[in-house]
Amino acid sequence: MPTANATQNAEPPMPTRRRDRILMLGRRKAGKTVFLARLYEQAWRGGDGLHMRAAEGAMHELCMEIVEQLHHGQWPAATAGSLCSEVEVTWLGMQATMLMLDYPGEVFRQAFVEGGGGAQADELIDHLDHAAAVILLIDPGNVHAGSAREVVDDDYGMVQAVDYLRRSPGGTQVPLAVALTKCDEHVGLVRSAGGARGFIESKIPNLTQYGGRMRIFATAAVRTRGDALGRPVPNTQHEPAGLSDALKYCMKHVGAAMAQAARNNREAARRDELNRAAARDRRFAQQSFRRWVGFWVAMGIFGVVVIVVALFVAFREPQPTESIAPPVMAPPAEVVPVPEPEPVPEPEPVPEPEATEDPGPRIGKLKPSTAGGSEP
């Protein structure tokens, strides 16, 4: 990220960045917050043919709340943090984007006096790198009677900012508008110097020397009146003076170019989308081609393997196979005929003894005869 400390000894970085915004720069107590709020209120109502519309509702609401405080005779609180919002600006049929950037004045000092280094300071310098037009807010009262530290911010800090812009790529053609704020309070001081340009040339001569061509305007966002204690309080009974003139000057020089740049950006975005779509199609086609090549290579390898296996089976020598003897069956057992048993001869019938006269009953048992006969 470039810093203002590099503007004296080195050129800002290349390549040229797209310049697509109108930027406002101002030190602490330069009246940035009131200037932005009153300018937006005036342009929102369509004053002087100029129209502004915030891209975010939060910025629109913030500007209207600040204007309401001014109507009640109250000054807005000092800016505590950076606020950034794009605003669509329309004038004479031309349309451009203005960056409404409100930041603590210390950030300006850090960026362009102390050499940068902080995140907010680097962001502010980055906005300057993208600026198509720049509006510088300078408080004549601070330049005339401020402390040495306060004068350094407007004298040295502003010179550093415009020198960095002019030496940056494409910065020589960026229109510069200087708005002297609070001129209702310092009208005599400005008139005594011969007007707004005379005041800048006499009080901050290096600004015109390093800034080159620029337009200087005397502006008053609000008038002031004294309260019961003599302190200045805002008086919104009068319309803002000179605020829209500084913005119209920028629109005159960059409105048509920024509108053309916006169209070019849209066309470039469309071409980028077409290129991305074509790249996606090419990647898909390459992936499909690789998948099909892989498939057919695999199929070829498979076919070669099948052919090799088939040839191997067809032309290999037949190997002897071991014969398997059938199981030996035992011969059937010989059936030995069982001989039939010889017929047992029937015993010859014993002849019954002839009947004799019964000698009468015998007593006792007969005893065998020892002589081969029986004794009666």
Side-chain angles (χ1 to χ4, degrees), residues 31-118:
K32 298 185 300 296
T33 302
V34 175
F35 188 99
L36 287 170
R38 289 286 278 173
L39 174 62
Y40 183 81
E41 179 206 20
Q42 184 182 27
W44 174 252
R45 293 188 281 107
D48 296 336
L50 185 70
H51 186 266
M52 298 173 65
R53 181 173 63 89
E56 299 176 358
M59 179 58 75
H60 178 91
E61 185 177 6
L62 177 63
C63 291
M64 294 308 173
E65 287 178 353
I66 293 173
V67 170
E68 184 179 10
Q69 292 178 11
L70 296 174
H71 287 322
H72 288 87
Q74 300 174 357
W75 295 109
T79 304
S82 297
L83 299 175
C84 180
S85 178
E86 292 185 352
V87 179
E88 182 184 272
V89 182
T90 305
W91 181 62
L92 298 180
M94 295 180 294
Q95 190 174 14
T97 299
M98 174 180 172
L99 189 70
M100 292 189 71
L101 181 65
D102 196 8
Y103 51 88
E106 291 77 7
V107 175
F108 177 86
R109 179 179 181 83
Q110 185 180 17
F112 300 109
V113 177
E114 299 175 355

Side-chain angles (χ1 to χ4, degrees), residues 253-276:
H253 287 81
V254 302
M258 290 182 67
Q260 181 61 40
R263 290 191 293 269
N264 293 341
N265 292 340
R266 290 192 295 270
E267 180 63 23
R270 189 183 68 84
R271 288 196 301 269
D272 290 342
E273 181 60 29
L274 292 176
N275 292 336
R276 286 193 293 269

Side-chain angles (χ1 to χ4, degrees), residues 260-339:
Q260 181 61 40
R263 290 191 293 269
N264 293 341
N265 292 340
R266 290 192 295 270
E267 180 63 23
R270 189 183 68 84
R271 288 196 301 269
D272 290 342
E273 181 60 29
L274 292 176
N275 292 336
R276 286 193 293 269
R280 288 194 297 269
D281 293 341
R282 286 194 297 270
R283 288 194 300 269
F284 179 76
Q286 292 172 356
Q287 293 172 356
S288 300
F289 176 76
R290 286 194 293 267
R291 284 195 294 266
W292 277 108
V293 168
F295 172 77
W296 287 114
V297 168
M299 292 299 295
I301 295 174
F302 177 76
V304 170
V305 170
V306 171
I307 293 174
V308 170
V309 171
L311 293 175
F312 176 77
V313 172
F315 292 99
R316 69 173 181 171
E317 295 181 358
Q319 298 294 329
T321 59
E322 296 181 359
S323 59
I324 301 176
V328 178
M329 303 295 292
E334 184 178 355
V335 179
V336 179
V338 179

Side-chain angles (χ1 to χ4, degrees), residues 133-193:
V134 178
I135 300 175
L136 306 178
L137 304 182
I138 298 176
D139 179 5
N142 177 72
V143 176
H144 178 71
S147 65
R149 180 184 177 87
E150 293 173 338
V151 173
V152 165
D153 289 350
D154 280 332
D155 187 8
Y156 181 80
M158 284 295 182
V159 171
Q160 285 290 90
V162 298
D163 180 57
Y164 176 86
L165 174 67
R166 291 308 189 204
R167 298 204 305 155
S168 63
T172 56
Q173 303 301 320
V174 174
L176 274 175
V178 179
L180 297 180
T181 61
K182 309 176 185 178
C183 284
D184 58 309
E185 300 180 28
H186 309 296
V187 59
L189 185 63
V190 175
R191 286 179 178 175
S192 64

